[in-house]
Amino acid sequence: MTFADLLAQLVNGLANASTLFLLASGLSLIFGVTRVVNFAHGSLYMIGTYGAIWLAEHLGGSGLGFWSAVLMAACGVALLGALMELAVLKRIYGAPELFQLLATFAVVLVVKDVALMVWGPEDILGPRAPGLTGAVELAGQSIPEYDVLLIALGPLVLLALKLLLERTRWGVLIRAATEDREMVGALGVNQVWLFTSVFALGSGLAGLAGALQMPREPASLGLDLIAITDAFVVVVVGGLGSLGGAFLAALLIGIVKALCFALGTVELFGFTLNFSKLTLVVEFVLMALTLALRPWGFAGRPLRGLREAPGAIEHVRTPARRFWVIATAIAALLALLPAVADDYALVLATDCAIFALFAASLHFLMGPGGLTSFGHAAYFGVGAYAAGLLAKQAGASMLLALVAAPFAAAAFALVFGWFCVRLTGVYLAMLTLAFAQIVWSVAWQWDDVTGGSNGLVGVWPAPWAADKTHFYWLTIALCAGAIALLWRVMHAPFGYSLRAGRDANLRADAIGIDVKRVQWIAFPAAGAAAGLAGALYVYSKGSLAPDVMAISRSVDGLVMVLLGGVQTLTGPIVGAVLFTWLQDEILRRTEYWRLILGLAILGLVLLFPRGVVGSLRRVLRGGEA
Amino acid sequence: MTAPANDLLLQATDLASGYGHAQILYGVGLELRRGEVVALLGRNGAGKSTTLKTLMGLVRARQGQVTLLGRRIEGLSPFRICRLGLGYVPEERRVFAGLTVMENLEVARRPARDGAPTWTPQRLFDLFPNLGRMRDRRGGEMSGGEQQMLTISRTLMGNPLAVLLDEPSEGLAPVIVDEMAKAIAELKREGLTILLSEQNLRFATAIADRAAIIERGTIRFTGTMAELFANAEVREQYLAV
């Protein structure tokens, strides 16, 4: 590595840091005021890139055309954000925060398919900025002019936002609402207007970030999740609600990534280390380190009342004897399914059972534990890889693999959980996401062992279970058993302790419950169940790829749990079956399954803000408060 | 003190409310006339704060009605109720810790209102000279007494017709309590109407015209302060600790 290489990478890293900061500042503003974790923020960024490229094409190749396209895209995305707030989120501010999260997931799905419809599946290259296509000479290295502009833009936007927040009445109201929005309302401020305007500004920043990336990065349909994870990392490392912190975090991540690229492959103590491979994971390692050392990021403060929304938490009832009778009857009916179903339906039913277990294990953390995990796919994936690797590399039998996989997943969950339970709320959720992304990128890049992006193929069930019907029975038995076990644990003293810690952390502590320890143990318990689901998944598909633990799988899990309703035992199962079946059903008819599913979820969220099962139960009980 | 009926500013009838499954108020009735100070007295947990929050729309009224100058306000959102002329000073003070004194006042600034005193930061600093000396100090860096002055001043910036004042003496040093009583008496001279929730009978006596006693979510007694003092039985039953 020469100094010139380093410099070139550094400039690139700093330019990236600028757009990263724009993106993250928008997310931070929105979260600060509305307390909505807006997963659709990355989708707005993606729309910014696509929109700017599309506009630039139609406005001609002049400098005026380019910059008008950037500004129009940013303004358009701002409008879109305001629209999303008005049409969806405004109606559910009173609902539990997880529901708002589900609504933003649905928007992610809808936006992705709309982008697919409008712009197609191929990546689209954007035009370069007219007049800024040249390079500046610096220490014998040519630095693109456009990058210089971006580097300057980051601090300028930070300054402008600071001035806006410090010097205008609007800014004062925003800062006040970030601290105590109910009080702001009692002082005569119309929050409806305030929230919508914050959404517009935050979304506009995401759109601007996306539009500015147009000459540097092709528009693609994967940008949404990449952008949202990057933005989360920056916001969390910087400290929620702190613009200065976000700026520092963006710089740090930009520079560290640049260093990894610049270092390339290095010989260290006889080991060959390829640093450029670390770029996928380095930001998550940074986030995990930051949260372990400073639980509220660089400049963040503990959040007041984030998890104490009154009415958000309901009791998970102890099932009556009747419940177990019905559950057993349903299990018996399921066992008889092969008598009437064809192979296709059996495979689908197998999938449903696997994802029901996955969702139930996530629910175990989220429901009784109150521990929201954005990275639950990690345990599913570790289970899947453990089974796949044992079968392929060690030639282990299916039985051994199915027994070992939950242990492997539990071991990972034990380590991750130890760090996670030290945090609360969104920070905890982000750390789970960080761990999941670390595991995912290892699977993606460790070609020699995991097969890299190709994954592992030819992991087939043992001969005695190879038949579709037999495998279905095996899956049903294992999944039903594992779910029953999870339910049993929820209603054992351990489960009560877990719920006590969720509902009244300090009081539970004061009566002698080691809340952190109880929460920690919940992680391997849920992890093992997810690991079993992952192992069954590998054998049902015969292969696996890093996708099994990608962020989209974690999001699927969250959607399943929230769709069914987090307050009920059966919610996650109904949600998983509904989700898996809907996905399959829609996919057979149209490639735009995400659009349909997203709209369906939006409809459900607006109609049943307690989840399907929770709302049905309310209706059946006569709807008393 | 008696006032003509057309001076009725705020009236609550048969008000019920609570949190989740817990009902706190069971048919509260209250009247507040223009220019008077009414003390809402009662023990801890009797429903004083919940009454004020329900009047302000911060807790939903499940039953009953609230009228402000003859206009129904129950069911309106707090910001509308505030704009109609009701001010609220919370018990926990809830100053914006990251905002300066001036910024805290700015949040609550509303246009002048007919029939209510008009407040500016300068007039408030005349009332609370301490605040005027710390205009740029952040709310989080102030003492409890200073925060209490700020939270009252902040509410006054909305130029309210009436203020709901939730336990302004709570947690303050005796010397600050006296200062607070003087300030509230001054506000009364300005013509401000006040509903004051209190546990401190001495404090209430110093400034209130009338008293209403609440116990288990129901008003058990209403009368002038003199009537309250004449009635040892009521004081014994509902206020003795």
Side-chain angles (χ1 to χ4, degrees), chain A residues 232-289:
Chain A
F232 276 150
V233 170
V234 170
V235 169
V236 166
V237 169
L240 282 171
S242 162
L243 290 177
F247 185 74
L248 279 181
L251 277 186
L252 182 72
I253 287 167
I255 290 172
V256 171
K257 273 194 171 180
L259 282 179
C260 285
F261 270 120
L263 282 172
T265 309
V266 174
E267 295 277 340
L268 208 65
F269 308 116
F271 289 99
T272 312
L273 257 174
N274 187 347
F275 275 97
S276 55
K277 277 198 167 185
L278 283 179
T279 47
L280 268 184
V281 72
V282 67
E283 64 192 84
F284 298 104
V285 174
L286 264 177
M287 171 153 95
L289 278 177

Side-chain angles (χ1 to χ4, degrees), chain A residues 375-531:
Chain A
H376 206 61
Y379 314 120
F380 188 84
V382 167
Y385 269 95
L389 288 174
L390 275 173
K392 293 303 288 184
Q393 312 279 17
S397 71
M398 181 176 84
L399 213 54
L400 179 66
L402 285 182
V403 171
F407 283 101
F412 274 75
L414 198 66
V415 176
F416 296 167
W418 189 84
F419 288 98
C420 290
V421 297
R422 263 135 248 280
L423 307 176
T424 51
V426 185
Y427 286 102
L428 184 149
M430 288 300 146
L431 191 57
T432 61
L433 175 71
F435 284 129
Q437 289 303 97
I438 291 170
V439 176
W440 169 80
S441 61
V442 168
W444 177 270
Q445 290 181 320
W446 200 6
D447 293 332
D448 299 343
V449 175
T450 62
S453 55
N454 295 324
L456 302 168
V457 287
V459 188
W460 295 112
W464 57 270
D467 180 70
K468 292 261 185 292
T469 307
H470 292 167
F471 192 77
Y472 167 78
W473 275 332
L474 177 71
T475 306
I476 286 286
L478 286 176
C479 290
I483 291 172
L485 203 61
L486 284 175
W487 286 355
R488 183 66 194 83
V489 173
M490 273 182 220
H491 297 102
F494 175 81
Y496 294 143
S497 308
L498 197 58
R499 279 147 59 189
R502 172 197 70 186
D503 293 344
N505 198 324
L506 287 176
R507 268 171 276 174
D509 236 17
I511 59 167
I513 297 172
D514 188 344
V515 173
K516 294 265 171 272
R517 191 182 185 83
V518 168
Q519 291 179 336
W520 182 32
I521 295 169
F523 268 85

